[in-house]
Amino acid sequence: MPQPDPPRRDHPARAHLQTALELAQVGVPVLPLRKGKVPFGNCRTCAGIACGGRPNMKTPGPCQCPAVCHAWAAATTDPTVITSPAWAPAWRQAVAVAYLPGGAGLTVVDLDNAAAVAWARQTLPVTRIVPTTRGEHWVYRGTMLSANQVRPGVDIKSRMAYARWLGPGTGPLAVLPSTVRTLVDKEETTPARGAVVSSSPVRAEWDRTVATGCRHTARYVRTGLQRGLDMVRSHTESGAGSQAFGVAQFLAAQHTKCPGPCGLDTIGRQIIAAAVSVGVPEAYAQRAVTNGLQSVGAAT
């Protein structure tokens, strides 16, 4: 695990940029995170993955956008990109630095609470540990598929996922054990199109009639939903289940201040349908989306 020097503290933006450059220098792909500790959104050209996505995504496309688009796929070790004018506005707004564990040959077991930490101490081999706000990151040498909620309070972050940089941690790096690999349900690998037959009929689309208590405009909700559905459908080889969880979680978070109802059950059904359309078994898609919607306290 790289151990960059402590960042400068004279200005938050410069400190984050300096940390990113130090990580990149030792081969760790990085990107800035905005308020909420999430990646910056796509620019208009890349909205809804209209550009095709970055070449390092599972479904490679022609995107050559210089901005910080496509979340984890924007992570880079190129200092000319990190310090470029296109990334400068993001660094000025950045609240944290993220990195792509898989790009550095690593896997992070994200333990989100005390119970998850206790489980790891009883089950997993000791490795490099990084304290987090609510739990710990256990870092292993080796890569694998990423997946959310593989068990209560446990996420796997490796390929096609980002982790927040919280320091180098303590302890020697252990090799990624089979115990961690088996946490990712085999259903997470998206089968070829047509390999899974869904028992569900075509679902109704979201509209204002099911969201009489939503504070957002219909255009806002539909735009966000469509972008999310496009993201799920772009994972034609693997990761669609985890992407469905992430989209459901993100969309639900937008409605935490609504009096409700907001029609999240209808939104959820559309996300499930998108995941099933690229080969995710329906039962797995339903679990992923339900967990995503329930992970925040939004009005249904």
Side-chain angles (χ1 to χ4, degrees), residues 4-9 13-25 30 91 97 165:
D5 296 330
R8 293 170 55 185
R9 301 298 181 188
R14 284 194 292 271
H16 294 319
L17 177 56
Q18 182 64 28
T19 295
L21 288 170
E22 290 170 353
L23 288 169
Q25 188 174 22
V30 294
W91 286 119
V97 177
W165 175 257

Side-chain angles (χ1 to χ4, degrees), residues 249-266:
Q249 183 182 55
F250 175 80
L251 294 179
Q254 312 311 305
H255 297 272
T256 54
K257 295 182 180 179
C258 294
C262 293
L264 292 185
D265 52 346
T266 301

Side-chain angles (χ1 to χ4, degrees), residues 110-188:
D110 184 1
L111 307 166
D112 203 34
N113 53 49
V117 171
W119 166 83
R121 290 175 180 172
Q122 294 176 355
T123 309
L124 304 182
V126 177
T127 187
R128 176 70 55 86
I129 297 176
V130 181
T132 67
T133 304
R134 296 178 296 184
E136 295 175 349
H137 284 175
W138 286 36
V139 187
Y140 291 95
R141 183 181 293 110
T143 66
M144 61 180 290
L145 289 173
S146 299
N148 292 312
Q149 291 295 304
V150 294
R151 57 173 291 112
V154 181
D155 297 334
I156 305 296
K157 299 180 178 181
S158 186
R159 301 195 298 266
M160 300 175 67
Y162 72 90
R164 190 157 57 100
W165 175 257
L166 297 169
T170 57
L173 273 172
V175 175
L176 181 63
S178 59
T179 311
V180 173
R181 292 187 184 278
T182 55
L183 287 172
V184 178
D185 195 310
K186 291 181 180 179
E187 293 172 331
E188 172 59 21

Side-chain angles (χ1 to χ4, degrees), residues 29-285:
V30 294
L31 69 151
L33 297 181
R34 60 183 171 86
K35 185 177 180 181
K37 300 172 185 176
V38 296
F40 285 80
N42 289 358
C43 67
R44 292 182 179 178
T45 302
C46 298
I49 317 183
C51 62
R54 293 198 185 278
N56 59 319
M57 299 174 76
K58 272 289 184 180
T59 306
C63 179
Q64 298 297 326
C65 178
V68 191
C69 294
H70 308 299
W72 60 267
T76 181
T77 58
D78 188 343
T80 61
V81 173
I82 295 169
T83 59
S84 67
W87 280 43
W91 286 119
R92 286 195 292 271
Q93 302 173 58
V95 299
V97 177
Y99 69 104
L100 179 62
L106 303 171
T107 292
V108 175
V109 180
D110 184 1
L111 307 166
D112 203 34
N113 53 49
V117 171
W119 166 83
R121 290 175 180 172
Q122 294 176 355
T123 309
L124 304 182
V126 177
T127 187
R128 176 70 55 86
I129 297 176
V130 181
T132 67
T133 304
R134 296 178 296 184
E136 295 175 349
H137 284 175
W138 286 36
V139 187
Y140 291 95
R141 183 181 293 110
T143 66
M144 61 180 290
L145 289 173
S146 299
N148 292 312
Q149 291 295 304
V150 294
R151 57 173 291 112
V154 181
D155 297 334
I156 305 296
K157 299 180 178 181
S158 186
R159 301 195 298 266
M160 300 175 67
Y162 72 90
R164 190 157 57 100
W165 175 257
L166 297 169
T170 57
L173 273 172
V175 175
L176 181 63
S178 59
T179 311
V180 173
R181 292 187 184 278
T182 55
L183 287 172
V184 178
D185 195 310
K186 291 181 180 179
E187 293 172 331
E188 172 59 21
T189 300
T190 305
R193 288 177 183 267
V196 176
V197 178
S198 171
S199 61
S200 298
V202 176
R203 275 103 170 164
E205 294 188 357
W206 182 95
D207 61 34
R208 179 56 67 183
T209 62
V210 298
T212 56
C214 184
R215 65 189 179 92
H216 302 292
T217 64
R219 181 179 179 183
Y220 176 91
V221 175
R222 288 198 183 99
T223 299
L225 175 58
Q226 187 57 55
R227 290 178 180 176
L229 297 178
D230 289 342
M231 292 174 68
V232 173
R233 295 186 187 113
S234 73
H235 290 71
T236 56
E237 294 184 33
S238 66
S242 286
Q243 187 66 67
F245 170 90
V247 168
Q249 183 182 55
F250 175 80
L251 294 179
Q254 312 311 305
H255 297 272
T256 54
K257 295 182 180 179
C258 294
C262 293
L264 292 185
D265 52 346
T266 301
I267 287 176
R269 287 195 292 272
Q270 288 188 249
I271 300 171
I272 292 169
V276 170
S277 75
V278 291
V280 177
E282 187 168 356
Y284 182 80

